[in-house]
Amino acid sequence: LRAIKSVLVVAGSLKREERSRPEEQVLMRALRDFNLPKIVTSDVPIFLGLISDLFPQLDVPRKRDPTLENAVRQSVSELRLQPEENFILKVLHPFSSTYSNMKMKPVWNDINPKAVTTDELFGYLHPATREWKDGLFSSLMRELTSVTHDGPKWIVLDGDIDPMWIESLNTVMDDNKVLTLASNERISLSSSMRLLFEISHLRAATPATVSRAGILYVNPQDLGWSSCTPSWTWFCLKKPSSICKKHIQTPVYQLRPDTH
């Protein structure tokens, strides 16, 4: 039900932008563009087949913002990465460097939630004195709500998802967007604030967490190895003592196994 609501919100925003477009085209584009970022490469043909069954002989181009895409390409190049089309599509949201180039520099802080206990992250009441001890996340969220800033404000949680701490964020990730602490204090997530989770997998995530988050899955198959080569070359040449520097221009088939 939560996913259905998200799709309808996306469809509603698309309809308001293009009121003359037929509703079946709006819904088709909302379903396709909302779900594709979450799907692994092997499942993409299956998903597109389902979409074509629902909307036969209907192909609506995705909404594009040339100014935004050019800003992303500029940021990617400055980071010595390769502006592959699939990569650009995946990194349109979020992008700190792009926001900076567009004069919308975000205010952000990163936390490793696995480096502290749940009490240290969200705060706790001392069992004997009943004194409140503030947590790292709760104090940071309270501070960001009071910061006067026109651009976006992010809290980046860089660590594997664990039900022990992620379940405490369910109310923040719901529609009410409120963090309720054990002290009964309620801290609201403002419209300019976002939670960003940088993780390597979702093995420990519950359906409740996955349904609340917007997932961006980067498929290794979409990029391949060719886009990594120029960036890897630059990195190796930057280090004079690198053992791979003398082999950097050597064709792969000429490299000995012990020099890979």
Side-chain angles (χ1 to χ4, degrees), residues 178-198:
V178 174
L179 175 66
T180 304
L181 303 177
S183 62
N184 291 326
E185 180 185 3
R186 295 164 63 87
I187 306 174
S188 298
L189 195 75
S190 66
S191 58
S192 61
M193 292 174 62
R194 293 292 185 273
L195 302 182
L196 305 180
F197 301 90
E198 188 172 352

Side-chain angles (χ1 to χ4, degrees), residues 80-84 87 220 222-232:
R80 301 289 183 176
L81 301 175
Q82 309 310 311
E84 298 283 345
F87 186 64
D222 290 342
L223 301 179
W225 62 269
S226 58
S227 59
C228 300
T229 304
S231 299
W232 180 76

Side-chain angles (χ1 to χ4, degrees), residues 23-250:
E23 289 191 356
E24 61 270 17
Q25 296 185 15
V26 173
L27 186 56
M28 182 268 186
R29 187 164 68 176
L31 284 168
R32 183 196 60 198
D33 296 349
F34 177 79
N35 289 292
L36 270 180
K38 309 176 182 181
I39 299 176
V40 298
T41 302
S42 58
D43 290 339
V44 169
I46 300 174
F47 173 73
L48 293 179
L50 293 173
I51 291 292
S52 64
D53 289 342
L54 290 172
F55 304 94
Q57 299 181 348
L58 185 62
D59 186 16
V60 185
R62 68 180 178 88
K63 181 185 176 183
R64 305 189 67 163
D65 186 340
T67 303
L68 185 59
E69 292 187 18
N70 289 334
V72 172
R73 288 189 177 88
Q74 178 187 344
S75 301
V76 168
S77 300
E78 290 174 358
L79 293 171
R80 301 289 183 176
L81 301 175
Q82 309 310 311
E84 298 283 345
E85 286 303 315
N86 285 323
F87 186 64
I88 296 298
L89 182 61
K90 290 289 185 180
V91 301
L92 281 176
H93 295 288
F95 34 57
S96 176
S97 299
T98 301
Y99 269 128
S100 300
N101 290 335
M102 296 174 69
K103 312 302 181 186
M104 298 170 58
K105 187 173 183 179
V107 173
W108 65 280
N109 297 89
D110 59 331
I111 303 174
N112 183 351
K114 298 289 288 182
V116 294
T117 65
T118 304
D119 286 344
E120 292 170 335
L121 190 62
F122 297 107
Y124 65 96
L125 288 169
H126 193 279
T129 64
R130 305 302 294 172
E131 181 183 357
W132 172 252
K133 178 67 175 178
D134 213 4
L136 179 61
F137 181 87
S138 55
S139 60
L140 180 58
M141 186 171 171
R142 189 186 301 108
E143 179 183 338
L144 280 181
T145 56
S146 62
V147 170
T148 303
H149 181 62
D150 294 333
K153 294 180 283 188
W154 299 342
I155 299 178
V156 182
L157 295 145
D158 186 2
D160 288 338
I161 284 182
D162 184 340
M164 294 298 293
W165 65 266
I166 194 68
E167 294 295 331
S168 299
L169 294 178
N170 282 347
T171 56
V172 186
M173 299 165 66
D174 275 335
D175 291 340
N176 55 6
K177 298 180 181 179
V178 174
L179 175 66
T180 304
L181 303 177
S183 62
N184 291 326
E185 180 185 3
R186 295 164 63 87
I187 306 174
S188 298
L189 195 75
S190 66
S191 58
S192 61
M193 292 174 62
R194 293 292 185 273
L195 302 182
L196 305 180
F197 301 90
E198 188 172 352
I199 58 176
S200 59
H201 60 79
L202 286 170
R203 297 188 190 101
T206 63
T209 298
V210 174
S211 63
R212 285 176 167 88
I215 299 173
L216 179 68
Y217 184 81
V218 180
N219 299 291
Q221 296 90 337
D222 290 342
L223 301 179
W225 62 269
S226 58
S227 59
C228 300
T229 304
S231 299
W232 180 76
T233 301
W234 174 84
F235 175 78
C236 288
L237 293 177
K238 186 180 178 182
K239 295 181 176 294
S241 60
S242 176
I243 191 173
C244 63
K245 183 177 180 181
K246 63 179 180 179
H247 301 295
I248 203 66
Q249 300 298 337
T250 305

